Structures are given as C-alpha cells and as structure tokens.
Amino acid sequence: IYQVMVSSFQAGGECGYGEGYGPSSHKGDLRGIINSLQYIKDLGFNALWMTPVVDSSQSTRDRKLQSTGYFADDYFHIDPNFGTDDEFHELVNKAHALNLYIICDGVFGHNGGNIKPSPSGLYPEGPQDPVTYPGSLAFYQEVAAYWINTFEIDGWRLDQCYQMNQNGHNYMREIRETVETTCQNRKNQGKQWGILGYIVGEDWNGDPAVIQSRTYTQGGLRSAFDFPSRYRLIQVLAQEESGTGGMPCENLPWIFQDPSAKGYSHELGKIFPNLFVTNHDVFRFGNLIKLKYGYGKENDAYWRRYKIAIAMLATYTGPITVYYGDEIGDFIIN
C-alpha cells in the first residue's frame, strides 16, 4: 500500500486547502493523485491509501484540521477543496485500469460536527469525539457500504479504530461484516472491483496485548497496523519519537514472527498485521536517523539505514504500507 496525505501530496488543479500541517503548499487534490497513479504503479505498489477525501469543509474545526479530512461533516461526498465526486470516480477507474486497489480512510469514531444525513436519513449519535455506539453503528455501516457500491473502492483504513470498541463490545466486527458482505454480494454479481474488502485498523499502541484486546478481539478486524513491530524496527535503525534507540539487531527477528507468536489472534483464524515505517502521524524516518546519529542525506550511512528499513518491508510476509516520500529517503528540514 502506498499512502498519501491528500492535502500535502500533489497539486493538479485549482483546488487545495492552501494550509495544513507540515511543510507543504497544501494545494494537494484528487487531480494531483490522478496524475501520479502511473508513478505509484511503477514503484511496484498494488494499492493506494488516501487520507480522508470526504467533505470536511463545513465542519466546526479550523481550516487546518479540515484539511486533514479527519473531521467530516458530509460522509457521502468529496470535499470540494479536493475535487468532485466525478473526479473521484475518474481516480478510482484509472487506478483500477492500472490494477491498483483503492483504500479509503474511514473515520467512524468521531466527526467534525454539522453532520449531513446519510441517503437513508441516518446520523451518528453522541458527541463529536468520540461518537457513541451502538447508536452510530447503522450510520457508519451505511457509509462503509456506500463507497464500495457507489465508487467501487476496495477497502478501508479505519482511523482510531479503538473508538468503535465501547461498553465491552467491539463494533469493528459489525463494520467488518458489512464490508465483507457488501464485497461478497458484488463478487456474486460478477463485479471486477469493490470485491476485495480489506480493512486495516489504526490502533496506535506499542503493546501487542492492547491491540489484541481492542481490535482483534470478539471477531473484530483481521488486520491492524503493527505498531509494536514498527517501534522495534525504528529502535534498531534509528530512534523512536520518544528517544529510545540504538537497540541491538537481535530485536529485528521479532518482526518476522508469526502473528500468534506476537500475541495476535482472531476467532476467524488467519490475521494480517500491517507493517510500516512512517505515516502521516509520526516523524519521517530520515529525521529519526538525524536525531539519533546527527547525519542526513550527505552520509552514506543514512541511505544504508533507509535501505535496510525498506528491505524489512520488502521481505515481510503480509500487507505493508509505505508513506509517500519514503521511496526517495525523504527528510523534513525543520
């Protein structure tokens, strides 16, 4: 999976928020992604994950937060700062023509307020952050199925998925079943796309037991980002954001263990932890190298460490995610 932060990625038209977090003009839009699809394909990826493209332009949050996409007000249309519904159709169709899956970012645990109703008239319930379950379940089930059926997307990444585990019940199970049933129905109809049904959850924790207890439990998701493995990788090759680093190479083989040996299990059997090095919420790997060792791109050791990190992803059994820029050893100058 190749991940892009829509607002800070590529500008292809006259859209874009024009402000956001991090070093960018923040003029990124759908047209910029469309223009980049062949590049992404040529890198060898077969899936694209975009941060949320749903409309956040009328939410109660400030413009910087709106530009992230994580505080939606209309879950059923594209944010006009990124493009149009028709452009998203074009993006999905062109990606599929290149045999690229499209993974959308689903924020099913919080929103930006001023919520527009679903096509069937539903709303999420409770406060904005987090919403309450089971009252919000039917709304978000409709969202999950709508984008698969209407735009033929292939799966979801669920932001802060643990917010759907409430009052002793893991509502990720119902979300997963909705997605899988929707995709199976499409497959039975002979559809070529919108049949994958992959879902990966963001349960940001360094302890496998916590991820197990919140995300994989009770038949929840079958894939979550493997933060514990990511931290081990970073601690050996550089340092994590907290400063822990310089750990011995003997810590690396843990990453390649079977999920059950890490403490992950699922009542349906096989699960698929997703390995990554960086994403939009953490430091660039290059910056972590610099923080630990004091050198950057001018040093051959910088590139050797970067190549080892990418090689770890390449030799991992299971889904992997690469944040845009990591393929060129990106480094953010503060």
Side-chain angles (χ1 to χ4, degrees):
I1 303 172
Y2 188 79
Q3 183 206 352
V4 301
M5 183 82 182
V6 178
S7 68
S8 62
F9 188 55
Q10 294 290 329
E14 300 300 321
C15 298
Y17 267 92
E19 58 181 294
Y21 295 93
S24 170
S25 66
H26 294 284
K27 295 291 183 66
D29 56 15
L30 296 183
R31 184 57 55 187
I33 298 173
I34 292 170
N35 294 343
S36 303
L37 289 174
Q38 187 64 57
Y39 167 78
I40 295 168
K41 175 66 176 181
D42 289 345
L43 287 173
F45 293 94
N46 69 342
L48 167 66
W49 154 32
M50 296 166 285
T51 52
V53 294
V54 294
D55 192 0
S56 302
S57 63
Q58 302 302 313
S59 79
T60 59
R61 302 303 182 109
D62 63 42
R63 190 166 176 81
K64 274 190 174 183
L65 286 175
Q66 289 175 351
S67 76
T68 68
Y70 287 103
F71 299 94
D73 58 89
D74 186 347
Y75 279 87
F76 296 90
H77 292 287
I78 294 294
D79 192 315
N81 293 287
F82 295 148
T84 65
D85 291 2
D86 286 343
E87 281 182 300
F88 189 70
H89 272 295
E90 179 185 351
L91 188 158
V92 174
N93 289 338
K94 288 185 174 180
H96 286 165
L98 293 170
N99 289 316
L100 285 169
Y101 293 117
I102 292 295
I103 310 296
C104 278
D105 206 320
V107 189
F108 297 171
H110 59 274
N111 58 67
N114 292 328
I115 295 294
K116 311 298 187 300
S118 73
S120 65
L122 297 176
Y123 292 86
E125 293 185 6
Q128 290 176 226
D129 190 4
V131 300
T132 58
Y133 279 81
S136 298
L137 178 60
F139 175 84
Y140 287 111
Q141 285 176 307
E142 186 171 349
V143 174
Y146 180 88
W147 287 79
I148 295 170
N149 284 326
T150 303
F151 294 101
E152 295 193 302
I153 71 166
D154 304 288
W156 289 96
R157 176 262 185 184
L158 299 186
D159 184 64
Q160 292 182 261
C161 61
Y162 51 84
Q163 291 185 317
M164 286 164 266
N165 192 323
Q166 297 185 14
N167 302 313
H169 186 88
N170 186 359
Y171 292 97
M172 286 174 265
R173 175 173 189 152
E174 284 83 355
I175 296 293
R176 175 185 58 76
E177 289 173 342
T178 294
V179 170
E180 291 177 353
T181 298
T182 301
C183 290
Q184 186 60 52
N185 288 340
R186 291 178 56 83
K187 189 173 183 179
N188 293 342
Q189 296 165 14
K191 304 288 188 181
Q192 182 181 2
W193 299 100
I195 62 173
L196 180 66
Y198 175 67
I199 314 175
V200 57
E202 181 214 20
D203 192 340
W204 190 344
N205 200 282
D207 185 350
V210 174
I211 298 173
Q212 174 62 36
S213 67
R214 297 193 300 197
T215 297
Y216 291 128
T217 188
Q218 299 176 12
L221 302 186
R222 301 183 69 180
S223 183
F225 287 110
D226 196 352
F227 279 91
S229 290
R230 181 263 177 183
Y231 282 125
R232 282 167 173 78
L233 190 156
I234 294 294
Q235 289 167 2
V236 171
L237 297 176
Q239 69 174 50
E240 65 173 270
E241 288 75 7
S242 69
T244 302
M247 303 300 286
C249 291
E250 286 77 9
N251 287 11
L252 292 178
W254 190 90
I255 296 170
F256 296 99
Q257 290 191 105
D258 185 87
S260 61
K262 297 179 181 181
Y264 299 140
S265 63
H266 195 283
E267 67 178 38
L268 295 182
K270 196 169 178 64
I271 59 174
F272 309 93
N274 190 310
L275 183 63
F276 69 105
V277 178
T278 57
N279 63 27
H280 61 295
D281 286 322
V282 298
F283 285 17
R284 285 283 187 184
F285 181 53
N287 288 77
L288 295 174
I289 295 173
K290 180 68 177 278
L291 286 171
K292 178 61 180 174
Y293 297 106
Y295 52 70
K297 291 184 175 183
E298 75 286 351
N299 193 309
D300 286 344
Y302 176 92
W303 296 106
R304 288 198 295 270
R305 292 181 183 278
Y306 234 115
K307 289 176 180 178
I308 292 171
I310 298 300
M312 294 291 287
L313 295 179
T315 52
Y316 177 77
T317 299
I320 62 170
T321 298
V322 174
Y323 189 46
Y324 82 94
D326 275 358
E327 74 274 15
I328 57 170
D330 206 4
F331 177 88
I332 302 302
I333 301 174
N334 296 320

